[in-house]
Every structure is written in C-alpha cells, then in structure tokens.
Amino acid sequence: MRFICFFIGALLLLFSVDTSASPPPSGGQIRYLNHLGRKYVYLTDVARYYGMRCRIGDKQASVNSKYSEILFTYEKTEGMLNGTKVYYLHPPFLRNGDVFISEHDFLKFIDPVLRGHALPRHRMYTILLDPGHGGKDEGGKGRSYREKNLVLRLAHKVKFLLERKGYKVKLTRDGDQFVSLIKRGEMTKELNADVFVSIHANIAGTASVSGIETFALPPSGVPSTHGSSRNDWEPGNKFDPNNSRLGYEIKKPS
Ligand SMILES: [Zn+2]
C-alpha cells in the first residue's frame, strides 16, 4: 500500500535590508574552535549566553531552561528542538569532554528560534504559494489521486485562510497547467512576493510513513539535507535567520 505525506518547502526571498544574525545577549564569551574548515562554538558557552543549563552525556548533550530544550546527538545532524525533530546544518561532536556545535547552527538556526523577538523585521505582505507539479508533470501517483491535484486543492485552502488574515496571496498556477521551476522562481520577482512557499504531497513506499516535513533554504555554503551539494549564495540567503524560523514554525506542533 502506498502512503502519502505532505511536505511544505519554505524559503523567503529577497527584499528589504541586510539580515545577518545578531549576536545573542551577552552572558560571557563564546569560544570558537576550527574543525573541518568551519567554525564551531562550545556548547557550554552557548548555554551560558542564554542562561540555560547544559548537560553533557556519552552520546548526547542537551541545553534546557524552563521554556526550551535542545537535544544534540554527537556526529549526527538529527536532533530535537522544543519537541520538534530537526536537522542541524552540521553534526555536533564531543572532544575532551566539551561539546561543539557549528557557528552556523548557533547563529542561523538556534538563535532565531530561541530569540524570535530579535529576528530582523521584514515586510511580509505578499505570499506566493507554489502548488508543485501540474499539467504533464503529475508528481506522485496513488491509486485514486495525483499529487498535482492534491496540492492545488491544498494551496487554494491555504490561500483562503491567509487572505482572511489580510495577506495578499498569489499562486504559481491556478489550474492544471505545467509551469517550469525557473518560471516559478521568476514569478517571485514579477509579483514582488515577500515569501515563497512550495507545497508538495510526497509518496512513500510504506504505510508506516506519515507526517509533515519542511525544507528551508540552507544558508549559503551549507549542504542541503536533501543532498550533499553545497548551496551557493541565493538572494533568499539575505533572510537566513527568518528562513529557519519560518521552517520551524511550519514544522512544530501547533
Ligand atoms: Zn512533489
């Protein structure tokens, strides 16, 4: 039996001002370590910055407070952030009793979630929803459904809900027509969209698979969880902290 699950790929696009992540509130110095050509930070220093407790175990480390809990497993990107399964940008590791996480994860993923109030503010008025596939590109095929039709119906429902909240919402396709990936990207500029969200309904080969998965544009130079290639700089990378936060908000339990 085939089973279907939804994923929503979210990426924010260019507009507004520069958005490099602001440093966290001062609570001591953050020490750095160079490892495999990139910068890592001491987890104990990060915990102290946020006034959180840090526990270091043999295989995992956690940082927690009354409000938040973050779990890291050494040498693995999979972790938990406030009860939501997440994938860090680089695997954390244990060395000589200290735990290290990448600076990218600290500044562009964890900080935007823990300190939403410190996120750079951007205009968010026009949202471009992108129902995947269409026309000759049917997407996933079940016994009685096609992904292209499911995601179009879903996009119309999301459009209706967002418009009720006062957003201006456009679709990359309004019917069963083929639209190239390049054209979908170009429409963000043509329509002056502030946010681009692509909606898909993936099919897995087993009924045990279900749920939502969310992809956000990775920071420049960071490999995607979808593959090993590095992500070159894209206009949407101006909004790295906001991209991470939006992906987390879509994914976390409501
Ligand atoms: Zn799809």
Side-chain angles (χ1 to χ4, degrees):
M1 180 184 170
R2 304 198 109 183
F3 204 76
I4 196 156
C5 64
F6 294 103
F7 87 75
I8 301 177
L11 65 108
L12 295 170
L13 293 157
L14 72 162
F15 297 105
S16 280
V17 291
D18 180 51
T19 65
S20 49
S22 53
S26 76
Q29 192 190 355
I30 298 279
R31 291 167 294 162
Y32 291 90
L33 174 85
N34 282 314
H35 177 65
L36 299 176
R38 66 179 71 99
K39 273 170 104 177
Y40 281 77
V41 294
Y42 283 69
L43 187 61
T44 47
D45 293 354
V46 172
R48 194 175 58 247
Y49 256 112
Y50 294 118
M52 297 169 81
R53 287 179 300 279
C54 181
R55 290 195 183 88
I56 296 177
D58 292 339
K59 293 184 177 154
Q60 293 184 318
S62 65
V63 172
N64 69 295
S65 70
K66 207 161 85 179
Y67 308 103
S68 296
E69 180 166 38
I70 314 170
L71 186 69
F72 302 91
T73 302
Y74 311 141
E75 311 296 344
K76 292 195 185 311
T77 52
E78 188 178 323
M80 296 291 284
L81 184 45
N82 293 336
T84 297
K85 189 203 265 191
V86 296
Y87 287 87
Y88 300 116
L89 302 167
H90 303 287
F93 64 92
L94 176 71
R95 181 185 285 179
N96 298 329
D98 283 309
V99 176
F100 298 88
I101 63 170
S102 79
E103 185 190 38
H104 270 135
D105 280 300
F106 171 37
L107 292 179
K108 297 199 167 179
F109 187 23
I110 292 169
D111 192 59
V113 171
L114 292 186
R115 297 194 312 133
H117 62 279
L119 272 176
R121 301 284 165 201
H122 300 291
R123 183 187 73 183
M124 185 162 150
Y125 174 59
T126 305
I127 297 171
L128 181 58
L129 295 178
D130 174 42
H133 311 281
K136 64 184 180 185
D137 176 10
E138 297 188 301
K141 290 177 203 154
R143 266 199 299 269
S144 58
Y145 53 80
R146 296 286 181 270
E147 181 183 359
K148 64 176 186 175
N149 300 327
L150 272 180
V151 295
L152 184 61
R153 285 213 301 272
L154 183 60
H156 275 123
K157 284 185 179 173
V158 175
K159 180 175 189 285
F160 172 75
L161 293 171
L162 287 171
E163 284 176 342
R164 273 209 320 208
K165 290 191 175 289
Y167 294 105
K168 183 179 167 193
V169 182
K170 299 281 184 187
L171 300 178
T172 53
R173 64 179 178 97
D174 205 15
D176 184 19
Q177 69 264 39
F178 176 80
V179 182
S180 72
L181 293 179
I182 288 175
K183 179 64 186 167
R184 291 170 201 248
E186 286 172 352
M187 286 174 76
T188 56
K189 228 171 180 179
E190 289 164 14
L191 297 168
N192 211 14
D194 303 310
V195 178
F196 176 93
V197 178
S198 189
I199 303 174
H200 289 254
N202 287 347
I203 288 175
T206 167
S208 63
V209 177
S210 66
I212 295 172
E213 55 181 353
T214 307
F215 294 86
L217 181 70
S220 177
V222 174
S224 164
T225 52
H226 195 54
S228 58
S229 62
R230 287 168 66 88
N231 167 35
D232 293 330
W233 192 89
E234 303 283 348
N237 283 128
K238 281 174 146 186
F239 306 96
D240 280 342
N242 302 71
N243 291 345
S244 300
R245 182 61 189 256
L246 178 59
Y248 170 76
E249 290 294 329
I250 290 173
K251 176 71 167 55
K252 76 174 186 185
S254 52

